[in-house]
Amino acid sequence: MSIACIAVDWGTSNRRAWALDAGGNVLERRADDQGLIAIGANGDFKGSLQAFTQGWLTGAPVIMAGMVGSRAGWREAPYLETPARLDDLATRLIAVDGIPGTEIRIVPGMARRDAGQPDVMRGEECQLLGAKLTRGIEDGIFLLPGTHAKWARVEGGRLTDFRTYMTGELFGLLSRQGSLSQVIGGDTLDAAAFDRGLARAQHSEDGALTHQLFGVRSLSLFGELAPGNAGSYLSGLLVGTEMQDALTWLRRHSSISHLIAIGSASLLATYAAASARFGITLERLDSDTILPPALFALAKRAKLC
């Protein structure tokens, strides 16, 4: 292979990498579960990257996005604060030393500050740029599901506002630890149970999330949920709570009936079901398709390749 650039998305839970040719075409793709959590504090990021990209590191530059640039990552890449043009990410890349003969750059995350609670993202900003570069989308409301789901507003190619939800992380913790994990078994999505959880979350007058979560246990005790579908009900509660709050937040400024979602096929299918219940049309974009062109474009603008 004639590799011109290596693009890496190094997230909280997982990571992906693409070997790209001089035209930005994907020559090979790799993925594993060695995200920031797996590497741990003071982890060997250099050694991990070398092992992950074995056979690719022949002098080609590496551009990385995601939690690898966080304070707990390889090297912190300072945030670009909103509102900001997504194209401006190319001017703020951070150099990393460590692998002789290989130029390595980390894409900065983006931050939103206000008088209340600040918000940050790392990696999703490149997906938003990818939507602009590959689909010409310069305006829209975006949903980026994952460990920490993001809802973002893009106007004229500028990220103007966004909000984060710890939906994926909460589901992982609650389904594997504590009392709810005792009534949850299996990981196959039960559509009916998921929709039941969505419906419960949609009616926030029925109680706060901390109250509704206990229902996973109590419904199981009375035989209304079984181990095979309790996890789907929990997922519906969490995703539904996220959507209810995000849509309320967005509708403070304007009506919304259409979302552009970027992520994996499985996550997008889950959110498509949720969007239908909330009366929202979901346009789906595969992150594997739009992320490599975004990282390649940033590398080109920074004259890495």
Side-chain angles (χ1 to χ4, degrees), residues 84-101:
R85 293 191 60 81
L86 295 166
D87 291 330
D88 290 344
L89 291 166
T91 68
R92 300 282 293 273
L93 303 185
I94 297 298
V96 176
D97 296 323
I99 301 178

Side-chain angles (χ1 to χ4, degrees), residues 137-290:
I137 303 174
E138 297 221 7
D139 300 274
I141 303 299
F142 288 83
L143 161 61
L144 303 105
T147 304
H148 297 156
K150 310 287 182 181
W151 291 65
R153 184 188 300 275
V154 175
E155 299 172 333
R158 296 165 62 87
L159 177 61
T160 59
D161 204 0
F162 65 96
R163 183 174 279 207
T164 302
Y165 296 87
M166 295 178 67
T167 306
E169 182 171 347
L170 278 175
F171 178 79
L173 291 171
L174 292 170
S175 61
R176 294 182 181 91
Q177 302 176 33
S179 62
L180 296 190
S181 67
Q182 298 171 358
V183 299
I184 293 175
D187 55 7
T188 301
L189 182 67
D190 182 297
F194 178 72
D195 188 66
R196 184 180 180 183
L198 290 173
R200 177 73 172 168
Q202 195 172 18
H203 300 288
S204 56
E205 67 274 10
D206 289 340
L209 176 62
T210 48
H211 166 66
Q212 294 178 349
L213 286 172
F214 190 74
V216 179
R217 182 170 181 82
S218 60
L219 288 168
S220 298
L221 289 172
F222 288 98
E224 295 189 44
L225 288 175
N229 63 16
S232 296
Y233 179 80
L234 170 62
S235 178
L237 273 181
L238 294 172
V239 171
T241 299
E242 173 192 325
M243 294 203 77
Q244 179 80 341
D245 183 80
L247 293 173
T248 299
W249 166 62
L250 289 164
R251 285 168 176 157
R252 292 174 189 166
H253 306 285
S254 62
S255 61
I256 174 173
S257 60
H258 179 80
L259 276 174
I260 305 163
I262 305 174
S264 65
S266 59
L267 273 177
L268 294 184
T270 298
Y271 275 84
S275 297
R277 168 161 281 282
F278 282 82
I280 301 294
T281 301
L282 197 71
E283 178 182 352
R284 306 187 217 181
L285 301 181
D286 187 341
S287 63
D288 264 352
T289 301
I290 68 170

